[in-house]
Amino acid sequence: MDIDRVGIYGCSAGGQNALTAVLQHGDFYKAAYAACGCHDNRMDKIWWNEQWMGYPVDSSYVACSNVENAYKLERPLMLVVGELDDNVDPASTMQVVNALEKAGKDFELLVITGAQHTMGERFGDHKRYDFFVRHLQGAEPPKWSELK
C-alpha cells in the first residue's frame, strides 16, 4: 500500500465520512468521492442522529458538520448525489456545494439524474474510477469508449 496515495469513498454515512476524512485528515487522505452523504447532522432525519449524538442538538453537531468545515478542503473531492434521493435529502449535498463555493474551493459535482440513494450506479462507478486514477495515480484514465 502506498500511504502517500490514499483515497476514500463511501455512500450515505460513508459519503459523509469520506468528506469528513479529507476535511479533518487531509494529511493522510489525498482524495475523496462522497456520495449521497448527510453532510450536516442537524439536517438529517429527526430521530437518526440523536440516537448516536444525543439530544438536545448542541455544539458537537456544528463541530462535525461538513458544511461548517468545508473551508478546510485542500484535497480533490467529487460529490455525488442522486437527483431523486429519498433517504438523504439532496439539499444536504447542495449545502456543502454552497459552502465550498463561498470558500472558493475546487471540487467536482456529479448529479445522477433519475437516481435515488446511490453510490453512483454504472456512470458513477466510471466517474469514481477516473477521479481516483487522475488524483491518486496522476495519470489520464483510458477512454471508456475504447475499452473492450
Side-chain angles (χ1 to χ4, degrees):
M1 177 177 180
D2 183 347
I3 62 169
D4 292 325
R5 294 192 280 182
V6 176
I8 188 168
Y9 67 92
C11 180
S12 197
Q16 177 183 13
N17 292 334
L19 178 50
T20 299
V22 292
L23 295 178
Q24 303 295 346
H25 305 286
D27 54 329
F28 183 76
Y29 296 102
K30 305 305 190 241
Y33 176 100
C36 295
C38 176
H39 298 290
D40 191 314
N41 291 320
R42 296 169 294 180
M43 184 177 172
D44 202 9
K45 298 167 230 43
I46 197 163
W47 55 273
W48 178 253
N49 296 295
E50 287 82 355
Q51 291 184 82
W52 319 111
M53 295 182 68
Y55 187 84
V57 173
D58 60 19
S59 61
S60 65
Y61 284 75
V62 175
C64 71
S65 167
N66 289 339
V67 175
E68 299 287 339
N69 290 303
Y71 71 93
K72 295 179 179 181
L73 183 68
E74 297 297 329
R75 297 293 185 192
L77 169 66
M78 179 175 280
L79 290 168
V80 180
V81 65
E83 173 193 28
L84 304 175
D85 192 332
D86 57 356
N87 185 351
V88 175
D89 191 329
S92 185
T93 296
M94 295 308 160
Q95 283 184 334
V96 172
V97 167
N98 186 46
L100 290 167
E101 288 174 350
K102 286 182 178 178
K105 300 298 181 175
D106 288 325
F107 63 97
E108 297 177 45
L109 173 64
L110 176 60
V111 178
I112 307 291
T113 58
Q116 293 183 342
H117 197 61
T118 181
M119 181 67 128
E121 301 179 357
R122 187 178 172 121
F123 186 70
D125 289 345
H126 168 142
K127 300 303 278 185
R128 183 175 62 251
Y129 174 85
D130 289 354
F131 175 79
F132 285 129
V133 166
R134 279 191 195 97
H135 295 290
L136 298 179
Q137 292 184 331
E140 192 60 31
K143 294 192 182 327
W144 288 82
S145 60
E146 296 174 5
L147 294 176
K148 296 188 182 220

